[in-house]
Amino acid sequence: MADVEFRPDAGRYWLNHLAMAVVLGAAAGIALVVMGNPYPWTGPVAAALALGLRGLYLRSEAMADVWRLTDNALVGPGARRVALVDITLVRKLMGHVQVVTKQGDKILIRYLADAPSAVAAIEAARKRA
């Protein structure tokens, strides 16, 4: 098997930030209403601005996290290496893939455009290992 790379997708990255902005903005607006604030619209606006800035600030770091699937391991950023025989669970988690090891380590391969395909590729490699 040739090595397979899992690269973050910018569209998924921004979609996740949009979802966080909507949920947290609604929560902030509701909290302001409950507190009796006469300007509850400031909660959603502040959440959208904060998450937009967060997205801009962390984008280059998030887009640099590339994982590679080899014949016997999953190799990630920062010299992370997980032997395929040590993986007990692989599942889709929103636009991410969560990998759980026998040791209890939980690894998140973030912002994938096609997380189900990544899960299938890792599971197929595990069966061959």
Side-chain angles (χ1 to χ4, degrees), residues 1-6 67-75 81 121 125 128:
M1 169 185 94
D3 290 357
V4 177
E5 283 192 346
F6 304 118
W67 286 83
R68 191 169 44 92
L69 179 62
T70 67
D71 289 333
N72 58 4
L74 189 58
V75 182
R81 182 178 179 82
R128 287 190 301 269

Side-chain angles (χ1 to χ4, degrees), residues 79-114:
R80 294 200 64 184
R81 182 178 179 82
V82 179
L84 294 177
V85 296
D86 288 339
I87 295 174
T88 59
L89 177 68
V90 181
R91 65 179 165 197
K92 180 181 177 285
L93 191 63
M94 295 172 41
H96 312 302
V97 171
Q98 183 183 40
V99 177
V100 181
T101 67
K102 290 177 184 174
Q103 297 80 14
D105 296 328
K106 292 183 178 122
I107 296 145
L108 200 59
I109 303 173
R110 302 180 303 161
Y111 310 117
L112 298 177
D114 189 5

Side-chain angles (χ1 to χ4, degrees), residues 10-71:
R12 171 57 65 182
Y13 177 78
W14 288 114
L15 188 62
N16 283 17
H17 276 76
L18 176 63
M20 284 190 295
V22 168
V23 170
L24 296 175
I30 291 168
L32 291 173
V33 167
V34 169
M35 293 180 347
N37 188 305
Y39 307 105
W41 59 269
T42 59
V45 170
L49 289 173
L51 284 159
L53 288 173
R54 176 193 185 276
L56 289 171
Y57 183 74
L58 295 176
R59 184 181 184 283
S60 62
E61 181 179 326
M63 293 296 109
D65 287 350
V66 176
W67 286 83
R68 191 169 44 92
L69 179 62
T70 67
D71 289 333

